[in-house]
Amino acid sequence: DKDGNRTDKVIYVYNEEDPNERDSLYSLNNINVNKDVVENPALIPHRHQSDTPDKMGGAIAYDVAEKIYELWETEDYTLNPSDVTPCSFENFYTKFCGELANRGSVQKTTEESLRATKEQVNSRRQEVIGVNTDEELQNMIKYQNAYNASSRYINVVSQMIEYLLTSV
């Protein structure tokens, strides 16, 4: 009870959310449903507590049902801290499915882009690895001819310098 004493009564506690503290916001990561309620939904209070222990339960809790209905229609829920547009509980589910589909689409597009990049890199790597012998032979002949031409030029310059030196 409120004094800290153990009691046989089931007590439901609502923890207030603080928008400045992300851990206090209700999300799929930090909401847990009592396993006893999951196993036995009849534990959800639908009757007022009886004053006498011999009765099965008190009057039907229409006011609790009305509060639940009001919560269903109230536009106080936000999907996540980045989407602060309030919505009803029903619209929350619609927005949640939309966001999930959106994230899946983004992930799929990213995966396809990365796969194409991987294929492109692999193709370029194969181009570098593979040696074309015809191309290599052409390059070798071209560089050999360039070397011979440079060698002749140097010989001509050397002969001109030698002629100038002997003439003077």
Side-chain angles (χ1 to χ4, degrees), residues 18 41 54 56-57 62 83 88 96 105 108 124 160 164 166:
D18 180 6
D54 60 336
M56 287 286 287
Y62 291 111
D83 179 9
S88 67
F96 176 76
S105 176
K108 182 180 179 193
R124 295 279 170 99
M160 286 172 50
L164 285 171
T166 57

Side-chain angles (χ1 to χ4, degrees), residues 44-57:
I44 296 174
H46 64 283
R47 293 186 173 268
H48 290 290
Q49 291 290 328
S50 173
D51 293 337
T52 58
D54 60 336
K55 289 187 179 179
M56 287 286 287

Side-chain angles (χ1 to χ4, degrees), residues 12 14 32 34 63 70 80 92 94 114 122 126 140 160:
Y12 297 93
Y14 173 75
N32 292 318
N34 186 332
D63 57 330
E70 287 172 7
N80 56 44
F92 178 87
T94 303
L114 291 175
N122 194 27
Q126 291 298 327
M140 189 174 76
M160 286 172 50

Side-chain angles (χ1 to χ4, degrees), residues 1 13-14 20 23 42 51 54 62 75 82 89 92-93 98 100 105 111-112 128 131 158 163:
D1 62 9
V13 177
Y14 173 75
N20 298 322
D23 291 338
D51 293 337
D54 60 336
Y62 291 111
E75 292 192 354
S82 63
F89 194 78
F92 178 87
Y93 178 75
L100 189 62
S105 176
E111 185 265 339
E112 289 171 352
V128 171
V131 176
S158 177
Y163 176 74

Side-chain angles (χ1 to χ4, degrees), residues 129-155:
I129 289 174
V131 176
N132 186 345
T133 55
D134 293 338
E135 184 181 344
E136 293 297 321
L137 184 60
Q138 284 177 348
N139 287 337
M140 189 174 76
I141 292 170
K142 180 172 60 174
Y143 293 128
Q144 184 180 13
N145 289 338
Y147 176 80
N148 288 338
S150 297
S151 175
R152 283 190 210 127
Y153 177 76
I154 291 173
N155 284 338

